Amino acid sequence: MLRALADVFRATGGAVATVVTLPFRLVARLFGGASDTAHGRH
């Protein structure tokens, strides 16, 4: 029983972590691309 609960928490924790980090990765990629183009223009 406890092991099953631990597995569920681990699965939901992984899903939540993925959903939470995805927007940050997109924003980082956008800012990274913007800074790259800015540096390229200079």
Side-chain angles (χ1 to χ4, degrees):
M1 182 70 181
L2 286 175
R3 190 169 293 172
L5 279 174
D7 284 340
V8 170
F9 276 120
R10 196 172 304 153
T12 52
V16 168
T18 310
V19 171
V20 168
T21 53
L22 261 178
F24 285 110
R25 274 190 219 159
L26 288 175
V27 170
R29 188 173 295 174
L30 282 174
F31 277 111
S35 66
D36 282 343
T37 54
H39 284 301
R41 283 180 192 161
H42 282 294

